[in-house]
Amino acid sequence: MTAARAWTAATAIALLAFASSCSIAEGLGGGEEPPESIYTQAEAYEAMEAAAAETAGTLPDFPGFEGRLWLDHPCSHDGVEDPDYVSVELEYAFSEADAQTPLVREQYADALLEQWEAAGYEILLDDERVSSERTDRSIIAYDEKRELEYLYRVAYTVTLVVTSGCMPVSEPADFTYVPPLGGVEPGGEHDNVGDFFPDGIPA
């Protein structure tokens, strides 16, 4: 476990809340020094977009995504938030119609698990929940080289999520706009990155 993962990131808890009674917080402790990371906040989004593009590019008969979301989450040490550090999250969502298909719910989940295992990622979770309405599934993998965590979450909606550990906060001017994947209109109503570009999303 890297030092960046040793400080508590709220997003890690949120990702696992759906899928497991245990939590990634088990084993999160951390030294007295701030975590070291290979990214800054702004650099992480670029790396995560590249990872998401690589992942989605392997999916057969890919229907595209409906929306994209960038988020950041507070990082804390010994229960105290550190304003100089955040963890970040990239989420791509399939449309409601595509999220009901066996291709997206079942075939993609199996394909991504196989892909992540073949890449040598640590599989942190593969959880399936069966109800009278549907079968939900959540797969979480950790890429140690990139220091990124991947989640494929199959519930009423289906999302591909990439998250990071804790890293230094970036200034607004440091962020680079990365066009979204999978048919999401750049700067459109489903391209939810506007909060990171207070002067407007670049054309």
Side-chain angles (χ1 to χ4, degrees), residues 18 39 49 52 86 91 125 144 151 166 185 195:
F18 157 79
Y39 309 111
E49 287 284 357
V86 293
E91 178 178 308
L125 184 74
E144 184 174 9
L151 165 67
C166 295
E185 180 185 355
D195 289 347

Side-chain angles (χ1 to χ4, degrees), residues 20-21 29 33 40 44 57 61 73 85 97 100-101 116 177 183 188 193:
S20 177
S21 58
E33 297 299 320
T40 63
D61 301 318
H73 301 276
Y85 286 81
Q100 310 310 311
T101 64
W116 292 336
Y177 179 75
V193 301

Side-chain angles (χ1 to χ4, degrees), residues 86-100:
V86 293
S87 67
V88 299
E89 176 180 334
L90 166 67
E91 178 178 308
Y92 276 100
F94 290 95
S95 71
E96 183 177 330
D98 288 331
Q100 310 310 311

Side-chain angles (χ1 to χ4, degrees), residues 111-195:
L112 289 177
L113 177 61
E114 182 178 345
Q115 173 189 328
W116 292 336
E117 288 178 326
Y121 299 167
E122 180 183 0
I123 305 302
L124 302 178
L125 184 74
D126 181 7
D127 181 86
E128 189 172 85
R129 300 288 178 92
V130 180
S131 71
S132 59
E133 297 180 354
R134 61 177 189 266
T135 298
D136 294 347
R137 190 174 179 187
S138 208
I139 302 170
I140 300 177
Y142 179 62
D143 177 355
E144 184 174 9
K145 182 178 180 180
R146 284 176 168 158
E147 296 186 1
L148 297 176
E149 213 164 78
Y150 302 77
L151 165 67
Y152 194 68
R153 180 171 47 204
V154 178
Y156 180 77
T157 59
V158 178
T159 53
L160 172 65
V161 184
V162 187
T163 64
S164 76
C166 295
M167 63 194 62
V169 170
S170 296
E171 296 295 327
D174 295 334
F175 288 91
T176 298
Y177 179 75
V178 180
L181 297 173
V184 179
E185 180 185 355
E189 65 173 323
H190 298 299
D191 185 16
N192 298 300
V193 301
D195 289 347

